Amino acid sequence: ELTGKDREALTAFRSAFREHVLFKTQLDREYLDPEHKFKHLVLYAGNFPSLRFKAYSGLASNSAFVQYLLQILPEDCAIVYSKHHLDNTEDFFLEQHHRVINLSYLRKEDANITLRIMPFVDAVVNIYSNVFMPAMTLGVPVFSFGTSQNAKFCLSNIEKLPQWLEHGKIVSE
């Protein structure tokens, strides 16, 4: 349980994070979805395509995971995809699907693009990345997928995400 001192430290950290990491840029929800096609935006910060990714997710690639997300999420939901900086694979599906907002091209200009767009998405999905930490700091709900130890820090499992989006952003048991 958090003490009063812990809460003060957490509040100070959140403030410093917003001030020094999330400085104002031209990125916002309007930038991500200028035509207002989507009711919901869900961030997936891609993982390095490794044996660990395959072990935790049971999938072969980030593309396979995004395709799974597109199947389970409502049609009015877009996936904001940020490619892992060490991922050199090319995947035209992620660049061409109308419900994928691919931020990979912006990473060259801004290494912290994933952090900067976090305040403008409805939720974050996570396999084994540490992206859950800044998301939690900003109060952005995180949903887990797979068998990573990080799942215990998430709001719920990804199977609850469609229900959460459609029913007032509440997770029920």
Side-chain angles (χ1 to χ4, degrees), residues 47-61 127-128 145-149:
N47 289 273
F48 180 67
S50 64
L51 292 176
R52 184 167 75 160
F53 170 79
K54 292 174 184 177
Y56 287 148
S57 70
L59 299 170
S61 67
I127 295 175
Y128 73 89
F145 178 80
T147 60
S148 166
Q149 312 90 312

Side-chain angles (χ1 to χ4, degrees), residues 99-117:
R99 287 179 52 209
V100 176
I101 301 168
N102 192 337
L103 300 178
S104 300
Y105 68 96
L106 291 174
R107 180 171 288 289
K108 295 173 190 167
E109 305 300 325
D110 184 354
N112 290 318
I113 190 68
T114 305
L115 296 176
R116 296 201 205 291
I117 57 97

Side-chain angles (χ1 to χ4, degrees), residues 129-140:
S129 170
N130 288 332
V131 74
F132 73 91
M133 288 187 261
M136 289 173 57
T137 299
L138 294 170
V140 179

Side-chain angles (χ1 to χ4, degrees), residues 116-172:
R116 296 201 205 291
I117 57 97
M118 241 180 235
F120 309 109
V121 298
D122 298 295
V124 171
V125 293
N126 188 40
I127 295 175
Y128 73 89
S129 170
N130 288 332
V131 74
F132 73 91
M133 288 187 261
M136 289 173 57
T137 299
L138 294 170
V140 179
V142 181
F143 289 80
S144 67
F145 178 80
T147 60
S148 166
Q149 312 90 312
N150 294 349
K152 65 185 171 195
F153 300 109
C154 297
L155 177 63
S156 189
N157 191 284
I158 201 164
E159 281 73 29
K160 300 270 185 165
L161 180 55
Q163 170 200 358
W164 182 83
L165 290 169
E166 293 297 318
H167 300 288
K169 299 181 179 171
I170 296 170
V171 174
S172 61

